[in-house]
Amino acid sequence: MNAENRLGRIRGYLLDMDGTLYIGGRAVPGAVELMRALREAGRPHLVLTNNSSAARARYRNRLAALGMPEIGRAHV
């Protein structure tokens, strides 16, 4: 089975924020495009973090500042 067929069978995605979507104050290369592609394809996805040092609003603001505002509104 090729990679495209395997990806087509995935029902949803869980993505850690720190180190996967961003590192420090910068988006990881390709992260904004990946999240946009998942949304446009209608693929279920959630972002999460194990860092409890900040409130949800702070993470929403960070994602929006990095060019991922739809994630912050819907999933954080």
Side-chain angles (χ1 to χ4, degrees):
M1 180 179 296
N2 66 31
E4 187 174 321
N5 288 339
R6 286 193 303 262
L7 288 174
R9 295 177 53 190
I10 295 173
R11 298 187 305 180
Y13 300 83
L14 294 174
L15 298 148
D16 182 49
M17 287 190 253
D18 189 26
T20 302
L21 296 179
Y22 58 78
I23 296 175
R26 303 183 103 166
V28 170
V32 173
E33 295 81 5
L34 169 66
M35 299 313 294
R36 186 175 298 127
L38 289 174
R39 183 176 45 83
E40 289 174 359
R43 297 287 188 166
H45 57 281
L46 295 173
V47 297
L48 49 99
T49 182
N50 64 346
N51 186 343
S52 61
S53 66
R56 289 182 200 183
R58 189 170 192 187
Y59 289 111
R60 281 192 293 269
N61 293 339
R62 176 180 278 182
L63 292 169
L66 294 173
M68 298 178 256
E70 66 279 354
I71 299 169
R73 279 195 316 266
H75 302 294
V76 176

Short mmCIF file of all heavy atoms in Angstrom, two decimals:
data_model
loop_
_atom_site.label_atom_id
_atom_site.label_comp_id
_atom_site.label_asym_id
_atom_site.label_seq_id
_atom_site.Cartn_x
_atom_site.Cartn_y
_atom_site.Cartn_z
N MET A 1 0.85 -1.17 0.00
CA MET A 1 0.00 0.00 0.00
C MET A 1 0.90 1.24 0.00
O MET A 1 1.80 1.36 0.81
CB MET A 1 -0.89 -0.03 1.25
CG MET A 1 -1.80 1.15 1.34
SD MET A 1 -2.89 1.14 2.79
CE MET A 1 -3.88 -0.30 2.49
N ASN A 2 0.64 2.18 -0.91
CA ASN A 2 1.48 3.37 -0.97
C ASN A 2 1.07 4.39 0.10
O ASN A 2 0.03 4.27 0.74
CB ASN A 2 1.47 3.99 -2.37
CG ASN A 2 0.12 4.54 -2.76
OD1 ASN A 2 -0.65 5.00 -1.93
ND2 ASN A 2 -0.17 4.52 -4.05
N ALA A 3 1.91 5.40 0.27
CA ALA A 3 1.69 6.39 1.33
C ALA A 3 0.37 7.13 1.15
O ALA A 3 -0.33 7.39 2.12
CB ALA A 3 2.85 7.37 1.36
N GLU A 4 0.00 7.45 -0.07
CA GLU A 4 -1.25 8.16 -0.31
C GLU A 4 -2.44 7.34 0.15
O GLU A 4 -3.37 7.86 0.76
CB GLU A 4 -1.38 8.54 -1.78
CG GLU A 4 -2.57 9.44 -2.05
CD GLU A 4 -2.58 9.91 -3.49
OE1 GLU A 4 -1.50 10.21 -4.03
OE2 GLU A 4 -3.69 9.97 -4.05
N ASN A 5 -2.44 6.05 -0.13
CA ASN A 5 -3.54 5.18 0.30
C ASN A 5 -3.58 5.08 1.83
O ASN A 5 -4.66 5.10 2.41
CB ASN A 5 -3.41 3.79 -0.30
CG ASN A 5 -3.72 3.78 -1.78
OD1 ASN A 5 -4.38 4.66 -2.29
ND2 ASN A 5 -3.22 2.77 -2.46
N ARG A 6 -2.43 4.99 2.46
CA ARG A 6 -2.39 4.92 3.93
C ARG A 6 -2.93 6.20 4.54
O ARG A 6 -3.70 6.17 5.50
CB ARG A 6 -0.98 4.63 4.43
CG ARG A 6 -0.55 3.19 4.21
CD ARG A 6 0.70 2.89 4.99
NE ARG A 6 1.79 3.78 4.67
CZ ARG A 6 2.77 3.50 3.82
NH1 ARG A 6 2.82 2.34 3.21
NH2 ARG A 6 3.73 4.37 3.59
N LEU A 7 -2.51 7.34 4.01
CA LEU A 7 -3.00 8.61 4.54
C LEU A 7 -4.49 8.77 4.34
O LEU A 7 -5.17 9.35 5.17
CB LEU A 7 -2.26 9.79 3.89
CG LEU A 7 -0.81 9.97 4.32
CD1 LEU A 7 -0.16 11.07 3.49
CD2 LEU A 7 -0.72 10.27 5.80
N GLY A 8 -5.02 8.25 3.27
CA GLY A 8 -6.45 8.32 3.00
C GLY A 8 -7.27 7.54 4.00
O GLY A 8 -8.46 7.81 4.19
N ARG A 9 -6.67 6.59 4.69
CA ARG A 9 -7.39 5.77 5.67
C ARG A 9 -7.36 6.37 7.07
O ARG A 9 -8.04 5.89 7.95
CB ARG A 9 -6.79 4.37 5.68
CG ARG A 9 -7.01 3.66 4.34
CD ARG A 9 -6.37 2.31 4.30
NE ARG A 9 -6.81 1.51 5.45
CZ ARG A 9 -6.28 0.36 5.78
NH1 ARG A 9 -5.29 -0.13 5.06
NH2 ARG A 9 -6.72 -0.32 6.80
N ILE A 10 -6.56 7.40 7.28
CA ILE A 10 -6.47 8.03 8.60
C ILE A 10 -7.74 8.83 8.85
O ILE A 10 -8.18 9.60 8.00
CB ILE A 10 -5.22 8.94 8.68
CG1 ILE A 10 -3.97 8.07 8.58
CG2 ILE A 10 -5.22 9.75 9.97
CD1 ILE A 10 -2.68 8.84 8.49
N ARG A 11 -8.33 8.63 10.03
CA ARG A 11 -9.60 9.29 10.34
C ARG A 11 -9.45 10.63 11.01
O ARG A 11 -10.39 11.41 11.05
CB ARG A 11 -10.46 8.36 11.20
CG ARG A 11 -10.81 7.09 10.47
CD ARG A 11 -11.78 6.25 11.22
NE ARG A 11 -11.29 5.96 12.56
CZ ARG A 11 -11.94 5.25 13.45
NH1 ARG A 11 -13.12 4.75 13.15
NH2 ARG A 11 -11.44 5.02 14.63
N GLY A 12 -8.30 10.93 11.57
CA GLY A 12 -8.10 12.21 12.22
C GLY A 12 -6.64 12.38 12.61
O GLY A 12 -5.87 11.43 12.58
N TYR A 13 -6.29 13.59 12.98
CA TYR A 13 -4.91 13.92 13.30
C TYR A 13 -4.84 14.63 14.65
O TYR A 13 -5.64 15.52 14.93
CB TYR A 13 -4.32 14.85 12.24
CG TYR A 13 -4.33 14.25 10.86
CD1 TYR A 13 -5.46 14.29 10.06
CD2 TYR A 13 -3.20 13.62 10.37
CE1 TYR A 13 -5.47 13.72 8.80
CE2 TYR A 13 -3.20 13.05 9.10
CZ TYR A 13 -4.34 13.10 8.33
OH TYR A 13 -4.35 12.54 7.09
N LEU A 14 -3.88 14.24 15.47
CA LEU A 14 -3.55 14.93 16.71
C LEU A 14 -2.15 15.49 16.55
O LEU A 14 -1.23 14.75 16.21
CB LEU A 14 -3.58 13.97 17.91
CG LEU A 14 -4.91 13.37 18.29
CD1 LEU A 14 -4.71 12.33 19.39
CD2 LEU A 14 -5.86 14.46 18.75
N LEU A 15 -2.00 16.77 16.77
CA LEU A 15 -0.69 17.41 16.58
C LEU A 15 -0.31 18.19 17.83
O LEU A 15 -1.08 19.01 18.32
CB LEU A 15 -0.75 18.36 15.39
CG LEU A 15 -1.06 17.67 14.07
CD1 LEU A 15 -1.84 18.57 13.16
CD2 LEU A 15 0.24 17.24 13.43
N ASP A 16 0.87 17.93 18.33
CA ASP A 16 1.39 18.71 19.43
C ASP A 16 1.77 20.08 18.89
O ASP A 16 2.21 20.21 17.75
CB ASP A 16 2.62 18.00 20.02
CG ASP A 16 3.20 18.74 21.19
OD1 ASP A 16 2.43 19.11 22.09
OD2 ASP A 16 4.42 18.96 21.21
N MET A 17 1.59 21.10 19.70
CA MET A 17 1.91 22.45 19.23
C MET A 17 3.41 22.74 19.28
O MET A 17 4.03 23.01 18.26
CB MET A 17 1.16 23.49 20.07
CG MET A 17 -0.31 23.53 19.77
SD MET A 17 -1.09 24.95 20.55
CE MET A 17 -1.98 24.14 21.85
N ASP A 18 4.00 22.69 20.46
CA ASP A 18 5.39 23.10 20.64
C ASP A 18 6.34 22.08 20.03
O ASP A 18 6.36 20.91 20.42
CB ASP A 18 5.69 23.29 22.12
CG ASP A 18 7.04 23.94 22.37
OD1 ASP A 18 7.51 24.66 21.48
OD2 ASP A 18 7.63 23.70 23.43
N GLY A 19 7.09 22.52 19.05
CA GLY A 19 8.05 21.65 18.38
C GLY A 19 7.49 20.96 17.15
O GLY A 19 8.24 20.39 16.37
N THR A 20 6.18 21.03 16.96
CA THR A 20 5.55 20.44 15.79
C THR A 20 4.96 21.52 14.90
O THR A 20 5.19 21.54 13.69
CB THR A 20 4.45 19.44 16.20
OG1 THR A 20 5.03 18.44 17.02
CG2 THR A 20 3.81 18.79 15.00
N LEU A 21 4.20 22.44 15.49
CA LEU A 21 3.64 23.57 14.74
C LEU A 21 4.52 24.80 14.85
O LEU A 21 4.58 25.61 13.93
CB LEU A 21 2.23 23.89 15.23
CG LEU A 21 1.19 22.80 15.01
CD1 LEU A 21 -0.15 23.24 15.54
CD2 LEU A 21 1.09 22.43 13.54
N TYR A 22 5.18 24.95 15.99
CA TYR A 22 6.06 26.10 16.18
C TYR A 22 7.20 25.74 17.11
O TYR A 22 7.11 24.78 17.88
CB TYR A 22 5.31 27.32 16.72
CG TYR A 22 4.61 27.08 18.04
CD1 TYR A 22 5.30 27.07 19.25
CD2 TYR A 22 3.24 26.87 18.08
CE1 TYR A 22 4.65 26.84 20.45
CE2 TYR A 22 2.59 26.65 19.27
CZ TYR A 22 3.29 26.64 20.45
OH TYR A 22 2.65 26.42 21.64
N ILE A 23 8.26 26.50 16.99
CA ILE A 23 9.38 26.41 17.92
C ILE A 23 9.66 27.85 18.34
O ILE A 23 9.96 28.70 17.50
CB ILE A 23 10.63 25.78 17.27
CG1 ILE A 23 10.34 24.33 16.88
CG2 ILE A 23 11.82 25.86 18.23
CD1 ILE A 23 11.46 23.64 16.13
N GLY A 24 9.53 28.10 19.63
CA GLY A 24 9.67 29.46 20.11
C GLY A 24 8.60 30.33 19.49
O GLY A 24 7.42 30.00 19.55
N GLY A 25 8.99 31.39 18.86
CA GLY A 25 8.04 32.31 18.25
C GLY A 25 7.90 32.15 16.76
O GLY A 25 7.36 33.03 16.09
N ARG A 26 8.35 31.03 16.20
CA ARG A 26 8.30 30.83 14.75
C ARG A 26 7.58 29.54 14.39
O ARG A 26 7.78 28.52 15.03
CB ARG A 26 9.71 30.77 14.18
CG ARG A 26 10.53 32.00 14.51
CD ARG A 26 11.84 31.92 13.87
NE ARG A 26 11.74 32.81 12.72
CZ ARG A 26 12.78 33.22 12.04
NH1 ARG A 26 13.97 32.77 12.32
NH2 ARG A 26 12.64 34.05 11.03
N ALA A 27 6.79 29.62 13.34
CA ALA A 27 6.12 28.43 12.82
C ALA A 27 7.17 27.50 12.21
O ALA A 27 8.12 27.96 11.58
CB ALA A 27 5.09 28.81 11.76
N VAL A 28 7.02 26.23 12.41
CA VAL A 28 7.87 25.23 11.78
C VAL A 28 7.60 25.28 10.28
O VAL A 28 6.43 25.41 9.86
CB VAL A 28 7.56 23.82 12.35
CG1 VAL A 28 8.25 22.73 11.57
CG2 VAL A 28 7.94 23.76 13.82
N PRO A 29 8.62 25.21 9.44
CA PRO A 29 8.38 25.24 7.99
C PRO A 29 7.34 24.20 7.57
O PRO A 29 7.42 23.03 7.92
CB PRO A 29 9.76 24.92 7.40
CG PRO A 29 10.73 25.39 8.44
CD PRO A 29 10.05 25.09 9.75
N GLY A 30 6.34 24.67 6.85
CA GLY A 30 5.28 23.80 6.35
C GLY A 30 4.09 23.64 7.28
O GLY A 30 3.06 23.10 6.87
N ALA A 31 4.19 24.12 8.51
CA ALA A 31 3.11 23.92 9.48
C ALA A 31 1.84 24.66 9.08
O ALA A 31 0.74 24.11 9.15
CB ALA A 31 3.55 24.34 10.88
N VAL A 32 1.98 25.91 8.67
CA VAL A 32 0.81 26.70 8.28
C VAL A 32 0.12 26.03 7.09
O VAL A 32 -1.10 25.87 7.06
CB VAL A 32 1.20 28.16 7.97
CG1 VAL A 32 0.03 28.92 7.39
CG2 VAL A 32 1.74 28.83 9.23
N GLU A 33 0.92 25.62 6.12
CA GLU A 33 0.36 24.97 4.93
C GLU A 33 -0.30 23.64 5.27
O GLU A 33 -1.37 23.31 4.72
CB GLU A 33 1.46 24.76 3.88
CG GLU A 33 2.04 26.04 3.34
CD GLU A 33 3.10 26.69 4.24
OE1 GLU A 33 3.49 26.11 5.29
OE2 GLU A 33 3.53 27.81 3.91
N LEU A 34 0.31 22.87 6.17
CA LEU A 34 -0.28 21.60 6.58
C LEU A 34 -1.64 21.83 7.23
O LEU A 34 -2.62 21.17 6.87
CB LEU A 34 0.63 20.86 7.56
CG LEU A 34 -0.01 19.65 8.24
CD1 LEU A 34 -0.31 18.55 7.23
CD2 LEU A 34 0.86 19.14 9.36
N MET A 35 -1.71 22.77 8.15
CA MET A 35 -2.97 23.01 8.85
C MET A 35 -4.04 23.53 7.90
O MET A 35 -5.20 23.16 7.98
CB MET A 35 -2.75 23.95 10.03
CG MET A 35 -1.78 23.40 11.07
SD MET A 35 -2.09 21.67 11.55
CE MET A 35 -3.66 21.84 12.35
N ARG A 36 -3.65 24.37 6.96
CA ARG A 36 -4.59 24.87 5.96
C ARG A 36 -5.09 23.71 5.08
O ARG A 36 -6.29 23.60 4.80
CB ARG A 36 -3.93 25.94 5.10
CG ARG A 36 -4.88 26.60 4.12
CD ARG A 36 -4.24 27.75 3.37
NE ARG A 36 -3.84 28.78 4.32
CZ ARG A 36 -2.61 29.30 4.39
NH1 ARG A 36 -1.66 28.90 3.57
NH2 ARG A 36 -2.33 30.22 5.27
N ALA A 37 -4.19 22.82 4.68
CA ALA A 37 -4.57 21.69 3.83
C ALA A 37 -5.52 20.74 4.57
O ALA A 37 -6.49 20.25 3.97
CB ALA A 37 -3.32 20.94 3.38
N LEU A 38 -5.26 20.49 5.85
CA LEU A 38 -6.16 19.63 6.61
C LEU A 38 -7.56 20.24 6.70
O LEU A 38 -8.56 19.55 6.53
CB LEU A 38 -5.61 19.39 8.03
CG LEU A 38 -4.37 18.50 8.13
CD1 LEU A 38 -3.86 18.49 9.56
CD2 LEU A 38 -4.67 17.09 7.65
N ARG A 39 -7.61 21.54 6.97
CA ARG A 39 -8.90 22.22 7.07
C ARG A 39 -9.63 22.19 5.73
O ARG A 39 -10.81 21.84 5.67
CB ARG A 39 -8.70 23.66 7.53
CG ARG A 39 -10.01 24.41 7.72
CD ARG A 39 -9.81 25.81 8.27
NE ARG A 39 -8.76 26.57 7.64
CZ ARG A 39 -8.89 27.25 6.50
NH1 ARG A 39 -10.04 27.29 5.88
NH2 ARG A 39 -7.88 27.92 5.99
N GLU A 40 -8.93 22.53 4.66
CA GLU A 40 -9.56 22.57 3.34
C GLU A 40 -10.01 21.20 2.87
O GLU A 40 -11.00 21.08 2.15
CB GLU A 40 -8.60 23.19 2.32
CG GLU A 40 -8.42 24.69 2.55
CD GLU A 40 -7.37 25.31 1.65
OE1 GLU A 40 -6.74 24.57 0.84
OE2 GLU A 40 -7.16 26.52 1.77
N ALA A 41 -9.31 20.14 3.29
CA ALA A 41 -9.68 18.78 2.92
C ALA A 41 -10.77 18.22 3.84
O ALA A 41 -11.25 17.12 3.61
CB ALA A 41 -8.46 17.87 2.96
N GLY A 42 -11.13 18.97 4.88
CA GLY A 42 -12.15 18.50 5.80
C GLY A 42 -11.66 17.38 6.71
O GLY A 42 -12.46 16.60 7.22
N ARG A 43 -10.35 17.29 6.90
CA ARG A 43 -9.78 16.25 7.76
C ARG A 43 -9.89 16.66 9.22
O ARG A 43 -9.43 17.74 9.60
CB ARG A 43 -8.31 16.02 7.43
CG ARG A 43 -8.06 15.53 6.05
CD ARG A 43 -8.48 14.11 5.93
NE ARG A 43 -8.06 13.60 4.63
CZ ARG A 43 -8.04 12.35 4.34
NH1 ARG A 43 -8.39 11.47 5.23
NH2 ARG A 43 -7.67 11.96 3.16
N PRO A 44 -10.47 15.83 10.06
CA PRO A 44 -10.55 16.16 11.49
C PRO A 44 -9.15 16.27 12.08
O PRO A 44 -8.27 15.45 11.78
CB PRO A 44 -11.29 14.97 12.10
CG PRO A 44 -11.92 14.26 10.96
CD PRO A 44 -11.09 14.55 9.75
N HIS A 45 -8.93 17.30 12.89
CA HIS A 45 -7.64 17.48 13.52
C HIS A 45 -7.78 18.29 14.80
O HIS A 45 -8.66 19.13 14.92
CB HIS A 45 -6.65 18.15 12.57
CG HIS A 45 -7.11 19.47 12.04
ND1 HIS A 45 -8.02 19.56 11.02
CD2 HIS A 45 -6.79 20.73 12.38
CE1 HIS A 45 -8.23 20.83 10.75
NE2 HIS A 45 -7.50 21.57 11.58
N LEU A 46 -6.92 17.98 15.73
CA LEU A 46 -6.85 18.70 17.00
C LEU A 46 -5.39 19.02 17.28
O LEU A 46 -4.51 18.24 16.95
CB LEU A 46 -7.39 17.85 18.15
CG LEU A 46 -8.86 17.50 18.13
CD1 LEU A 46 -9.18 16.52 19.25
CD2 LEU A 46 -9.71 18.74 18.26
N VAL A 47 -5.17 20.18 17.88
CA VAL A 47 -3.83 20.52 18.34
C VAL A 47 -3.86 20.50 19.86
O VAL A 47 -4.88 20.77 20.48
CB VAL A 47 -3.37 21.89 17.80
CG1 VAL A 47 -3.28 21.85 16.28
CG2 VAL A 47 -4.28 23.00 18.25
N LEU A 48 -2.73 20.13 20.44
CA LEU A 48 -2.68 20.01 21.89
C LEU A 48 -1.29 20.32 22.39
O LEU A 48 -0.35 20.41 21.63
CB LEU A 48 -3.11 18.61 22.33
CG LEU A 48 -2.44 17.43 21.62
CD1 LEU A 48 -1.33 16.88 22.45
CD2 LEU A 48 -3.47 16.39 21.31
N THR A 49 -1.21 20.52 23.70
CA THR A 49 0.07 20.75 24.33
C THR A 49 0.02 20.18 25.74
O THR A 49 -1.05 20.10 26.34
CB THR A 49 0.44 22.25 24.38
OG1 THR A 49 1.74 22.38 24.97
CG2 THR A 49 -0.57 23.06 25.16
N ASN A 50 1.17 19.78 26.24
CA ASN A 50 1.24 19.33 27.63
C ASN A 50 1.79 20.44 28.52
O ASN A 50 2.06 20.24 29.68
CB ASN A 50 2.07 18.06 27.77
CG ASN A 50 3.52 18.27 27.40
OD1 ASN A 50 3.89 19.27 26.80
ND2 ASN A 50 4.36 17.32 27.74
N ASN A 51 1.94 21.63 27.95
CA ASN A 51 2.43 22.78 28.69
C ASN A 51 1.23 23.54 29.27
O ASN A 51 0.47 24.16 28.54
CB ASN A 51 3.24 23.69 27.77
CG ASN A 51 3.89 24.82 28.52
OD1 ASN A 51 3.51 25.15 29.64
ND2 ASN A 51 4.86 25.45 27.87
N SER A 52 1.07 23.49 30.56
CA SER A 52 -0.08 24.13 31.20
C SER A 52 0.28 25.49 31.79
O SER A 52 -0.46 26.02 32.61
CB SER A 52 -0.63 23.22 32.30
OG SER A 52 0.36 23.01 33.29
N SER A 53 1.39 26.08 31.34
CA SER A 53 1.84 27.34 31.92
C SER A 53 1.06 28.55 31.41
O SER A 53 1.21 29.64 31.95
CB SER A 53 3.33 27.55 31.64
OG SER A 53 3.54 27.71 30.26
N ALA A 54 0.24 28.40 30.39
CA ALA A 54 -0.51 29.53 29.84
C ALA A 54 -1.97 29.15 29.64
O ALA A 54 -2.31 27.97 29.48
CB ALA A 54 0.10 29.96 28.51
N ALA A 55 -2.81 30.16 29.62
CA ALA A 55 -4.24 29.96 29.39
C ALA A 55 -4.50 29.69 27.91
O ALA A 55 -3.68 29.99 27.04
CB ALA A 55 -5.02 31.20 29.83
N ARG A 56 -5.67 29.13 27.63
CA ARG A 56 -6.04 28.83 26.24
C ARG A 56 -5.94 30.05 25.34
O ARG A 56 -5.50 29.95 24.20
CB ARG A 56 -7.47 28.30 26.19
CG ARG A 56 -7.64 26.95 26.74
CD ARG A 56 -9.07 26.54 26.58
NE ARG A 56 -9.38 25.45 27.49
CZ ARG A 56 -10.53 24.84 27.54
NH1 ARG A 56 -11.52 25.22 26.75
NH2 ARG A 56 -10.73 23.86 28.38
N ALA A 57 -6.38 31.18 25.84
CA ALA A 57 -6.36 32.40 25.02
C ALA A 57 -4.95 32.72 24.54
O ALA A 57 -4.76 33.17 23.41
CB ALA A 57 -6.93 33.57 25.81
N ARG A 58 -3.97 32.48 25.37
CA ARG A 58 -2.58 32.76 24.97
C ARG A 58 -2.16 31.85 23.82
O ARG A 58 -1.49 32.29 22.88
CB ARG A 58 -1.66 32.56 26.16
CG ARG A 58 -0.27 33.03 25.90
CD ARG A 58 0.50 33.02 27.17
NE ARG A 58 1.75 33.73 27.02
CZ ARG A 58 2.67 33.76 27.93
NH1 ARG A 58 2.49 33.16 29.08
NH2 ARG A 58 3.78 34.41 27.71
N TYR A 59 -2.56 30.59 23.86
CA TYR A 59 -2.24 29.68 22.76
C TYR A 59 -3.00 30.06 21.50
O TYR A 59 -2.46 30.01 20.40
CB TYR A 59 -2.52 28.23 23.16
CG TYR A 59 -1.53 27.72 24.17
CD1 TYR A 59 -1.92 27.44 25.47
CD2 TYR A 59 -0.20 27.54 23.84
CE1 TYR A 59 -1.01 26.99 26.41
CE2 TYR A 59 0.72 27.09 24.77
CZ TYR A 59 0.31 26.81 26.05
OH TYR A 59 1.21 26.37 26.98
N ARG A 60 -4.27 30.45 21.64
CA ARG A 60 -5.03 30.91 20.48
C ARG A 60 -4.34 32.10 19.83
O ARG A 60 -4.20 32.17 18.61
CB ARG A 60 -6.45 31.29 20.89
CG ARG A 60 -7.38 30.12 21.06
CD ARG A 60 -8.83 30.58 21.17
NE ARG A 60 -9.09 31.34 22.38
CZ ARG A 60 -9.51 30.80 23.53
NH1 ARG A 60 -9.70 29.51 23.62
NH2 ARG A 60 -9.72 31.56 24.57
N ASN A 61 -3.91 33.06 20.66
CA ASN A 61 -3.24 34.25 20.14
C ASN A 61 -1.93 33.89 19.46
O ASN A 61 -1.57 34.45 18.42
CB ASN A 61 -3.01 35.26 21.25
CG ASN A 61 -4.30 35.84 21.77
OD1 ASN A 61 -5.33 35.82 21.09
ND2 ASN A 61 -4.26 36.36 22.99
N ARG A 62 -1.19 32.96 20.04
CA ARG A 62 0.08 32.54 19.44
C ARG A 62 -0.16 31.91 18.08
O ARG A 62 0.52 32.22 17.11
CB ARG A 62 0.80 31.55 20.35
CG ARG A 62 2.08 31.01 19.70
CD ARG A 62 2.79 30.05 20.57
NE ARG A 62 3.59 30.81 21.52
CZ ARG A 62 4.37 30.27 22.43
NH1 ARG A 62 4.45 28.97 22.54
NH2 ARG A 62 5.08 31.01 23.24
N LEU A 63 -1.12 31.01 17.99
CA LEU A 63 -1.42 30.36 16.71
C LEU A 63 -1.86 31.38 15.66
O LEU A 63 -1.44 31.31 14.51
CB LEU A 63 -2.48 29.28 16.91
CG LEU A 63 -2.03 28.07 17.73
CD1 LEU A 63 -3.23 27.19 18.08
CD2 LEU A 63 -0.96 27.28 17.01
N ALA A 64 -2.69 32.32 16.07
CA ALA A 64 -3.15 33.35 15.14
C ALA A 64 -1.98 34.19 14.65
O ALA A 64 -1.88 34.50 13.45
CB ALA A 64 -4.21 34.23 15.80
N ALA A 65 -1.07 34.56 15.55
CA ALA A 65 0.09 35.37 15.17
C ALA A 65 1.01 34.62 14.21
O ALA A 65 1.70 35.24 13.41
CB ALA A 65 0.86 35.79 16.43
N LEU A 66 0.99 33.30 14.27
CA LEU A 66 1.83 32.49 13.39
C LEU A 66 1.15 32.18 12.07
O LEU A 66 1.70 31.49 11.22
CB LEU A 66 2.21 31.19 14.10
CG LEU A 66 3.11 31.35 15.32
CD1 LEU A 66 3.29 30.01 16.02
CD2 LEU A 66 4.46 31.92 14.92
N GLY A 67 -0.08 32.67 11.89
CA GLY A 67 -0.79 32.44 10.63
C GLY A 67 -1.75 31.28 10.66
O GLY A 67 -2.15 30.78 9.62
N MET A 68 -2.12 30.83 11.85
CA MET A 68 -3.03 29.70 12.00
C MET A 68 -4.25 30.09 12.85
O MET A 68 -4.57 29.43 13.83
CB MET A 68 -2.31 28.52 12.63
CG MET A 68 -1.15 28.00 11.80
SD MET A 68 -0.25 26.64 12.58
CE MET A 68 1.21 27.50 13.14
N PRO A 69 -4.96 31.17 12.50
CA PRO A 69 -6.05 31.64 13.36
C PRO A 69 -7.22 30.67 13.43
O PRO A 69 -7.91 30.58 14.45
CB PRO A 69 -6.47 32.96 12.71
CG PRO A 69 -6.06 32.83 11.29
CD PRO A 69 -4.80 32.00 11.32
N GLU A 70 -7.47 29.92 12.36
CA GLU A 70 -8.60 28.97 12.38
C GLU A 70 -8.40 27.86 13.40
O GLU A 70 -9.36 27.35 13.95
CB GLU A 70 -8.84 28.38 10.98
CG GLU A 70 -7.74 27.49 10.46
CD GLU A 70 -6.56 28.24 9.87
OE1 GLU A 70 -6.59 29.47 9.72
OE2 GLU A 70 -5.56 27.57 9.55
N ILE A 71 -7.18 27.51 13.68
CA ILE A 71 -6.91 26.48 14.70
C ILE A 71 -7.26 27.02 16.06
O ILE A 71 -7.96 26.39 16.84
CB ILE A 71 -5.43 26.06 14.70
CG1 ILE A 71 -5.06 25.48 13.36
CG2 ILE A 71 -5.16 25.06 15.80
CD1 ILE A 71 -3.58 25.28 13.19
N GLY A 72 -6.81 28.22 16.34
CA GLY A 72 -7.06 28.82 17.64
C GLY A 72 -8.53 28.98 17.93
O GLY A 72 -8.98 28.78 19.03
N ARG A 73 -9.32 29.34 16.94
CA ARG A 73 -10.76 29.51 17.15
C ARG A 73 -11.45 28.19 17.41
O ARG A 73 -12.34 28.10 18.22
CB ARG A 73 -11.38 30.15 15.91
CG ARG A 73 -11.21 31.62 15.83
CD ARG A 73 -12.15 32.22 14.78
NE ARG A 73 -12.19 31.44 13.55
CZ ARG A 73 -11.45 31.66 12.48
NH1 ARG A 73 -10.58 32.64 12.49
NH2 ARG A 73 -11.56 30.94 11.41
N ALA A 74 -11.06 27.17 16.69
CA ALA A 74 -11.84 25.95 16.68
C ALA A 74 -11.37 24.89 17.68
O ALA A 74 -12.17 24.10 18.14
CB ALA A 74 -11.83 25.34 15.28
N HIS A 75 -10.09 24.87 18.01
CA HIS A 75 -9.59 23.69 18.68
C HIS A 75 -8.85 23.89 19.99
O HIS A 75 -8.53 22.92 20.63
CB HIS A 75 -8.66 22.92 17.74
CG HIS A 75 -9.31 22.51 16.47
ND1 HIS A 75 -10.34 21.61 16.42
CD2 HIS A 75 -9.12 22.93 15.19
CE1 HIS A 75 -10.73 21.47 15.17
NE2 HIS A 75 -10.00 22.25 14.42
N VAL A 76 -8.50 25.09 20.33
CA VAL A 76 -7.72 25.27 21.55
C VAL A 76 -8.65 25.51 22.71
O VAL A 76 -9.57 26.26 22.62
CB VAL A 76 -6.70 26.42 21.39
CG1 VAL A 76 -5.97 26.65 22.71
CG2 VAL A 76 -5.71 26.11 20.31
#
